[in-house]
Structures are given as structure tokens and as C-alpha cells.
Amino acid sequence: MAFKRLQFYFCGLILLLFWSSAPAQTLYTLSGTLRDASTKEPLIGATAMIAALNKGATTDLQGNYAFSVPAGSYTIQFSYLGYQTITREITVDKDLKLNIALPTSESQLQEVVIEAGSLNEKLRTTQMSVENLTTREAKLLPALFGEVDLIKVLQLKPGVQSGGEGTSGLYVRGGGADQNLFLVDGATVYNASHLFGFFSIFNPDAVHSVDLYKGGFPAQYGGRLSSVVDIKMREGNQQHYVTSGGIGLIASRVTVEGPIQKNRSSFLLSGRRTYFDVFTRKYNAINEGKKDFDPIPDYYFYDFNGKANFEIGEKDKLFFTGYFGNDVFGFQSPSGFNFDFKWGNKVGALRWNHQFSPKFFTNTTVSVSDYQYSITNKVANRSFNLGSSIRDYNLRNDSDILLDSAHTLRFGAAVTHHDFGVGRLSGGTSDGTVSFNSEVAHTGTEFGVYISDDFNVNSRLALNYGVRLSGFAKDTSVFFGLEPRFSARYNLTESLSLKGSYTRMVQYVHLVTNSGASLPTDVWYPSNNIVKSQLSNQVAVGVTKLFGQDRFLFSNEIYYKWMNRQIDFRDGAQLFVNPNLDQEFIFGKGYSYGSEFYFEKKTGKTTGWLGYTLSWTNRKFPDINQGKIFPTRFDRRHDITFVVLHQLNKRINLTSSWVYGTGSSYSVPLGKTVFQDIAYADPQYVPLYPQERNNYRMVAYHRLDLGMVYKLKPKRGESDLTFSIYNVYNRKNPYFIYIEAIENGEETRILGFRAKQVSLFPIIPSVTYNFKF
């Protein structure tokens, strides 16, 4: 049945693809490459536009653009966020190639807010439910401990929620943390967090841009239900050797980049490390031997990014991307108990770009992604180790063809082999008298093919439609999923557009977790005959309006998402090293709907945005809550973000952000009962939970952060001091709630119980020194 629907869909696609309501005319191709004037790095997502024809193109991963126009004389405009806009007068009477180098803006603030081209692009594009971010934007905003975090900046956009106080987890339009696909230059990253979720693994000095898709997903993306976070790494300076970095309160970073062969190849190496452990080790050494002293656990993380690119011919380029990062947590007690916890990612990707013609180019990518964790306990001569891992081997091809002035065809295919180390347990004694080992492992192969078309019907109407056929093979079982994609934009006026989209997504790998947040100990598990693939459908409609001479943008999107085969776990589930983990799952449905309002200003000395989300997120499981609908832990009725950036003068930029969110829902016990009450022994109590899940809400969350960037005047290069204050008015926001016993003085008789709130971060000032030479 699925293949019949696919055949019907492709027939319709082919008819639309070659249908045209206008008579044929001679068209010529405008093409070229847009680069940074100082570094010669390609500008990804820059625009080339002829306003008189309402025609243009957005650059690809190599900075290439191409589109067709009839003969004539035109004014073409090249623009990119953070760069000066360049215009050229051209006469088209044949195919024309224009390579343009865009200079950056003169001041740091203008690097973020120069021109309103990005606002016009949001108005014109058929793509909706997407957020774009550059590191220039992120580095101006105040940050926890002064550590710039790109993922936390995305949390300031409508429809995106954090996993908790200070964490970098994402909950997008009602989806769980495991329903977000993180890509680094096309390679999957499975755990995108350091420090148990408080920082993301993405070093801002090595990142070029971040695109977050909340809905209306392009057909080339698949494998997750709720969002795609597509990170593009910088390629390095092709002109000069440059060293940059920063020294902060908890971490330092350094980046080295430069040409391998000037104007033809370059490299970038970037590293970062925290130094919690330096201070904690000295503190532990000073207090060693003191009575009742509890040593502070040892913790640090580090990561390395590398990228190299080579122009091996006029039409061929090679790119290599590498990432390696680890978190290390250790504890050694005077009694001889040792605890070590390590987790980390390794990613490698090799991409070959070939240009058959200005209208046809293709990218072929081979990548490997590996995530694993290991927990080791040692007591005396006995040891115990628990671990899990997932490793991917991926091959994909993506091609773009400019068929004519109305159609841009995209198609491709991908295959990924998964190795799941679901549970690994080993232990024994140092003398070898006791030894045991157990491991639960699975394999699976995920694949997908897609085709889509960008169709400019006329000056007002544009369509993007396509389909993705995905599948998953596990042992002798094969599962298929048909994923149609459609979006449309209609311009009512030159400054007002209506948009709509429909998307279906299928997810074949699942995160096994028994907590509300994504932790390093979570386990990835494949689909099989019992654990079916998850499925989501999302529809969205929206309106976008430019006003004030295109300096302001307002948008509103209304969405509804329904999800099938959502996964939870039965009470008392055994999740680790369990060969029958299939039996621990229960399945249900999910629903999320809401409205997102967004107001943005990108020109002038004062810029920023205001976002408001009104939403509902619910689940329904036959075996939970008596089969009734209940809110998820990340259901928040109201979510507000307000961000302001102001250029005080050429050397000082002031920034602020304020966030508000309805309190998270969670389950509160109605009371406790005695489990053990024996004479001369302390009684043991167990909580009694109501049948209704998530029956209580924490108090609302809100916080104000302030920042200032002060540009220094060194004799060589550039430098600045970045000051930030996190949680300015010292709000005690809830992190979690626990139940405390009320005792009767010295008699230690328990009179009752009460709920206590734990708050994580008070007011935290920080300063970071950034340099570049």
C-alpha cells in the first residue's frame, strides 16, 4: 500500500515539475560564488537577488549560487547577515558568472545587524519554522559563566524550550530531547552536551552557522520527529594565519587557522578545556587528612575541532571535518571507594563536492559517528564497569539541479549502519579469582531516498514539495516509512506573505531514559518487531509582515503536531544490561499545538527580538494515568523571551535578555507510608503517588541576564572584555523538588513530610578575555 501511495505521489510530482503556465523564452544563467573578503571562506546562506524580477538564489555549502533570468539590464544585490551589502549593474545577454567577496561591517555590533536582507529573505522564502544563528550573534549575548553556548541562544527563540535551569537541552514544539537530530557538517552527534547538560559541545570559535528546523522540514532531513539542528563548521582563513581564543572563569579556548595553499586550501584547529579540576585538586590536597572532610569530585571536559578543505580542481573540492570531546568525572574517597565516569563523542566526515555545471552540482559525504560512556567503581580489590555506546557509518549523496527559472530540483540518498552497544557489564577482583562479563548489542541499517522541487509559480506564489522514502532493517525485518513534505508561500503584497506547511517524520532509533532530562547514561535502542518506529505529522500556517521601511519583522505561526507510537517505560523497568529490554516499553500517542509570535529588529543602534509562545503538550498511554491524557514535563503554557542589543559607542555594546516560562509539571506524592517499622531501627518510608501523572506545577521560571562587550585597542590584532551577569535579580528558580521529613527535635520522631525546592544558580557575574591576532 505504501508503494502505491509513493507511485501516485511521484506521478503528481513529475506533473508539477514540468508544468509551466508561461510561454517558453530564452533564459540565461547567473552564477558565481560569494566569499568573505578577508578570509576567502564561502558564505553559506548568502543571497543574490534581482528585485525587479523578484528572482534570486541562496548560496549552498560552497557559497555557490545560480538562477536563470531573461536577457536585459538589471541591478543585482548580494547580501549576508553581518556583511556589507554589495550591488552591481549587469547586462545579461549570455550566461554570466559573478564571484563576489563581501566585506564584514566596520563595527562589531553592525556585524550582527547590518542591512535588513535577512528579514527580506524570511519574507520571501517558502521555508517556515526555521531559526538561523551565527556565532557573531551568540557572542554578544550574556552567558552562564561567560561561556558562549549556541544551543542556549536557540532557546531564546519561540517554540524552543530548555530542559531545565541552565541546561542546553532542547524541547521543540512538544518533542522530547531524543527527537532532535544534531548534525555537524552532515555527521550525526548523539549527545550534544558537556557537564551533564549545562554546556553544549559546540565551540563557537569553530562554528560558522546554526540552522534550527522546527517544522516544514526539507526532504533531505530525516530520522527524528521534532527538530533538526544543522551546524556548519568554519573552513579556516585562506589568506592569513590567525590565532584567536578566550580566557574565562571556568574554561579557555584557542583556535588556529590559515592557508595550506593560499586561495586553494585552508585548515582550522580549535580546542577548549575547563579547569574545575585544577582548583578542586588543590583544595582536596590542602584538606587531606582532616576529620570529616569529604573530597570534592574531580571533573573537567575538553573538545577539539578540526577542518581542512582542498580545491583539487576547478570543479572539485574536498572537505574533512573532525570532532573529539570527552567529559571526565572522578571521585576518590579516603575509605578506598573510587568512582570514574567518562563519556564523549568522536565524529569524522569526508565530503566531496563536484560541480558538473553552474546548474548542477553534487555532494558525497562519508562519515563516522561514535558515542559511548563508561562507569567504573572500585572498592578495595573489587571493580565494576557499566557502559553503553552507539556507532554510525554513513554514506550519503545530495544533488541540486537548476532546471529553469522556476524549478530547482534536489534529490539524494543516504544509508547508515548502526552498532548499538545497549549494555556492557564487567567486573571482578584484582587477583582474578572472580571475573564476569556481559554485553547486550544490536545492529541495524537505516536508509532513505528523497526528491523535492522549489517551484516559483509566479511573482506571488512559490511552492516547495517533495517526498522521502525511509526504511530500517533489523535482522530479517524491514520497515518502511513514507514522508511527504509540502510548504507554500503567497505574497499578498511586497511586505506581507502567507505561509503553510505539512510534514511527516519517522524515527527508527529511540533513547532509553528514565528521567526527564537527557543524561550521558541514556541508551539508544533500535526499532524491531516489538518496538515500532515513532511517527509524527505536523501542519503549520503563518503570516510574515515587514514594516518600517523593512527594518521590522513580525511573524505568527500556528502549528498542530500529532505523534504515534511514543515510548515510555513500565513502572520498575530494568533499563541496563537487559537482554529483554523490549518487554519494558509501553506505547502511546502525543499531541502538541500552539501559536508562536515573533517581533524582530535588525537595523540601527538598538536591535533585538521579542518572542511569545502559547502551547499545549500532552501524552496518552493506555497503561499510564488510567488511559487519560496528561501533560508532559516540558508542557509550558506561556513562554516569553525578550532580547535587546544596543551599541553605546564604537567600543561598547550592551546586551540583555529576559525569559519567562510557566512552571514545569511533575508528579508529587500524596503522602508516604511505612515500609519498615522495626524496634531499635529507623523506619523506612516509601512515597504514595496518585494515579494522575504530572499532577502539580512548579512556580514560574523567569530570569534577567545583562552583558557588555568592551573592545580593547591592542597594538596588534583585536581583543575585547566580555562582562555578563547571569540571573541579575537573584531569582530562586526551581530545579527540582524533594520530600523532606519533619522531625520532633531530639526525639527524631517524624511528625510529617513537606516539599522542598532546590534552586541551582544564584546571581553569577563573569568576565571573559577574547583575542584575535
Side-chain angles (χ1 to χ4, degrees):
M1 193 68 183
F3 284 104
K4 290 183 179 179
R5 291 197 300 267
L6 178 64
Q7 185 180 25
F8 175 79
Y9 194 86
F10 266 110
C11 289
L13 182 64
I14 292 172
L15 289 174
L16 279 172
L17 188 62
F18 294 102
W19 173 76
S20 175
S21 59
Q25 58 178 318
T26 302
L27 298 173
Y28 299 100
T29 300
L30 286 176
S31 64
T33 303
L34 301 184
R35 293 182 178 272
D36 184 299
S38 59
T39 68
K40 300 305 179 185
E41 286 188 273
L43 300 178
I44 305 169
T47 58
M49 184 71 183
I50 296 179
L53 298 176
N54 196 29
K55 291 184 180 296
T58 301
T59 56
D60 63 10
L61 296 176
Q62 285 68 53
N64 298 323
Y65 71 92
F67 61 102
S68 298
V69 297
S73 296
Y74 307 103
T75 299
I76 185 171
Q77 183 182 78
F78 303 96
S79 61
Y80 186 61
L81 183 65
Y83 289 75
Q84 296 179 22
T85 296
I86 290 180
T87 58
R88 292 283 189 271
E89 302 296 328
I90 59 173
T91 299
V92 180
D93 54 11
K94 60 181 180 179
D95 290 346
L96 185 62
K97 188 171 185 177
L98 287 173
N99 295 328
I100 301 294
L102 297 181
T104 56
S105 306
E106 296 179 356
S107 72
Q108 188 172 354
L109 181 65
Q110 288 177 329
E111 287 179 354
V112 178
V113 302
I114 188 71
E115 299 297 339
S118 61
L119 298 184
N120 279 291
E121 181 62 23
K122 288 184 177 182
L123 179 76
R124 293 193 306 265
T125 182
T126 57
Q127 182 66 54
M128 63 185 303
S129 307
V130 64
E131 301 291 347
N132 312 107
L133 178 68
T134 66
T135 55
R136 289 187 178 91
E137 230 173 348
K139 287 182 177 180
L140 285 175
L141 295 175
L144 177 62
F145 296 116
E147 276 297 291
V148 174
D149 194 314
L150 300 172
I151 304 303
K152 288 181 182 176
V153 177
L154 290 178
Q155 294 173 358
L156 298 175
K157 300 294 185 175
V160 184
Q161 299 171 2
S162 68
E165 167 76 294
T167 63
S168 59
L170 294 182
Y171 293 85
V172 180
R173 287 186 173 178
D178 63 316
Q179 295 173 350
N180 305 308
L181 176 64
F182 287 90
L183 297 172
V184 176
D185 280 352
T188 302
V189 175
Y190 280 95
N191 189 296
S193 299
H194 285 307
L195 189 57
F196 302 99
F198 291 112
F199 298 104
S200 73
I201 65 171
F202 307 113
N203 186 338
D205 291 343
V207 173
H208 179 276
S209 62
V210 179
D211 294 325
L212 169 65
Y213 296 88
K214 301 179 292 185
F217 302 99
Q220 65 263 33
Y221 296 116
R224 299 294 187 276
L225 299 190
S226 290
S227 79
V228 176
V229 182
D230 195 355
I231 297 102
K232 302 294 192 307
M233 309 302 293
R234 294 182 51 228
E235 293 184 5
N237 196 314
Q238 291 191 7
Q239 297 293 301
H240 311 285
Y241 293 100
V242 177
T243 300
S244 60
I247 301 173
L249 293 180
I250 65 168
S252 291
R253 64 188 194 278
V254 63
T255 300
V256 180
E257 58 185 296
I260 300 174
Q261 183 181 4
K262 196 170 184 178
N263 293 325
R264 292 183 62 87
S265 59
S266 62
F267 74 92
L268 181 144
L269 297 173
S270 185
R272 180 175 56 161
R273 193 192 191 280
T274 59
Y275 24 76
F276 295 113
D277 55 315
V278 176
F279 302 107
T280 57
R281 288 174 186 174
K282 289 185 177 180
Y283 180 77
N284 289 340
I286 292 173
N287 292 277
E288 186 177 2
K290 290 185 178 180
K291 186 179 180 180
D292 298 328
F293 171 68
D294 293 323
I296 299 175
D298 203 30
Y299 174 78
Y300 62 92
F301 71 75
Y302 60 88
D303 50 41
F304 299 97
N305 294 86
K307 189 165 184 178
N309 66 95
F310 304 88
E311 186 176 324
I312 57 178
E314 185 178 351
K315 296 183 178 181
D316 294 279
K317 297 177 181 178
L318 283 178
F319 303 85
F320 174 77
T321 300
Y323 171 84
F324 175 78
N326 261 335
D327 285 63
V328 180
F329 181 92
F331 177 77
Q332 296 182 354
S333 71
S335 62
F337 172 76
N338 296 334
F339 174 84
D340 294 302
F341 185 12
K342 299 179 181 179
W343 69 96
N345 296 276
K346 302 184 188 74
V347 174
L350 179 65
R351 178 167 56 90
W352 169 41
N353 171 258
H354 178 70
Q355 186 175 353
F356 292 96
S357 72
K359 294 185 177 182
F360 181 23
F361 56 87
T362 183
N363 285 283
T364 302
T365 305
V366 179
S367 65
V368 178
S369 177
D370 179 90
Y371 170 72
Q372 56 183 303
Y373 76 83
S374 175
I375 300 174
T376 302
N377 291 335
K378 293 181 181 180
V379 181
N381 69 332
R382 297 182 299 275
S383 65
F384 170 88
N385 182 275
L386 176 68
S388 179
S389 64
I390 181 170
R391 178 176 295 174
D392 287 356
Y393 303 90
N394 177 268
L395 172 65
R396 67 176 297 132
N397 179 268
D398 303 278
S399 298
D400 286 27
I401 301 178
L402 178 65
L403 295 178
D404 54 41
S405 60
H407 296 277
T408 299
L409 185 68
R410 293 182 172 88
F411 59 91
V415 60
T416 302
H417 176 78
H418 301 283
D419 286 334
F420 300 88
V422 175
R424 183 180 61 254
L425 176 66
S426 62
T429 57
S430 59
D431 58 8
T433 56
V434 178
S435 178
F436 59 90
N437 185 74
S438 177
E439 184 171 4
V440 179
H442 298 279
T443 62
T445 302
E446 187 174 351
F447 51 88
V449 294
Y450 72 90
I451 184 171
S452 67
D453 179 33
D454 280 319
F455 180 20
N456 291 307
V457 181
N458 52 46
S459 61
R460 290 182 178 271
L461 178 62
L463 306 175
N464 181 287
Y465 46 89
V467 65
R468 181 181 184 88
L469 175 65
S470 61
F472 191 85
K474 173 74 170 67
D475 300 328
T476 59
S477 302
V478 181
F479 314 96
F480 291 97
L482 187 64
E483 306 175 43
R485 316 284 173 85
F486 176 82
S487 60
R489 180 264 300 159
Y490 185 80
N491 288 341
L492 292 173
T493 67
E494 291 185 356
S495 61
L496 178 63
S497 67
L498 300 177
K499 297 182 181 182
S501 69
Y502 166 74
T503 303
R504 173 178 288 182
M505 300 286 277
V506 180
Q507 181 167 334
Y508 296 99
V509 296
H510 319 283
L511 192 63
V512 180
T513 176
N514 59 357
S515 68
S518 180
L519 297 176
T521 54
D522 295 340
V523 177
W524 288 91
Y525 197 79
S527 294
N528 56 34
N529 289 325
I530 298 176
V531 184
K532 305 296 185 181
S533 57
Q534 301 179 64
L535 176 69
S536 75
N537 293 273
Q538 183 178 169
V539 293
V541 294
V543 58
T544 304
K545 169 67 177 176
L546 284 178
F547 55 94
Q549 297 180 338
D550 294 349
R551 293 181 302 160
F552 303 92
L553 177 139
F554 171 80
S555 68
N556 175 225
E557 289 189 16
I558 300 173
Y559 68 90
Y560 185 87
K561 178 163 65 175
W562 62 102
M563 297 172 281
N564 295 329
R565 300 193 287 271
Q566 296 300 281
I567 294 178
D568 210 317
F569 307 97
R570 66 174 182 81
D571 294 338
Q574 172 58 44
L575 304 184
F576 301 107
V577 199
N578 182 355
N580 300 311
L581 191 60
D582 300 343
Q583 309 302 320
E584 310 292 345
F585 291 88
I586 57 177
F587 305 93
K589 297 182 178 181
Y591 309 91
S592 181
Y593 50 93
S595 182
E596 299 169 359
F597 298 86
Y598 188 67
F599 177 82
E600 185 175 18
K601 180 178 184 290
K602 275 194 174 293
T603 58
K605 288 190 174 183
T606 302
T607 61
W609 67 84
L610 172 65
Y612 168 65
T613 303
L614 173 67
S615 64
W616 289 260
T617 301
N618 300 308
R619 295 288 188 269
K620 184 178 182 181
F621 287 80
D623 300 319
I624 297 177
N625 206 44
Q626 298 180 310
K628 300 177 182 178
I629 290 178
F630 62 92
T632 67
R633 291 209 48 188
F634 38 94
D635 171 62
R636 295 182 188 168
R637 198 68 63 246
H638 306 283
D639 195 273
I640 303 172
T641 59
F642 185 38
V643 176
V644 177
L645 302 92
H646 177 70
Q647 182 188 26
L648 189 62
N649 53 49
K650 291 184 177 181
R651 298 183 64 181
I652 299 177
N653 295 320
L654 304 176
T655 61
S656 66
S657 64
W658 184 76
V659 297
Y660 173 90
T662 300
S664 300
S665 61
Y666 74 106
S667 299
V668 174
L670 298 177
K672 286 192 175 186
T673 186
V674 176
F675 173 71
Q676 174 182 309
D677 191 6
I678 303 175
Y680 309 108
D682 292 335
Q684 302 298 313
Y685 296 89
V686 295
L688 296 175
Y689 285 93
Q691 292 182 335
E692 183 181 1
R693 178 172 286 201
N694 294 338
N695 59 325
Y696 183 79
R697 282 193 182 272
M698 296 184 187
V699 298
Y701 180 99
H702 53 88
R703 187 190 78 242
L704 173 67
D705 303 332
L706 298 177
M708 181 181 74
V709 178
Y710 181 73
K711 297 186 70 174
L712 304 175
K713 292 185 177 181
K715 293 182 179 180
R716 182 186 175 190
E718 305 172 8
S719 63
D720 67 63
L721 289 173
T722 299
F723 303 90
S724 66
I725 304 177
Y726 182 90
N727 195 7
V728 172
Y729 49 81
N730 200 29
R731 164 77 173 177
K732 292 184 178 180
N733 286 300
Y735 186 59
F736 67 85
I737 291 177
Y738 70 96
I739 305 300
E740 178 186 67
I742 304 174
E743 296 183 350
N744 183 24
E746 297 180 357
E747 297 181 13
T748 64
R749 186 163 57 92
I750 295 179
L751 302 178
F753 299 91
R754 60 188 172 193
K756 295 291 292 278
Q757 172 182 300
V758 174
S759 299
L760 200 60
F761 295 119
I763 180 172
I764 300 177
S766 62
V767 60
T768 302
Y769 170 69
N770 300 297
F771 59 87
K772 183 178 181 180
F773 59 87

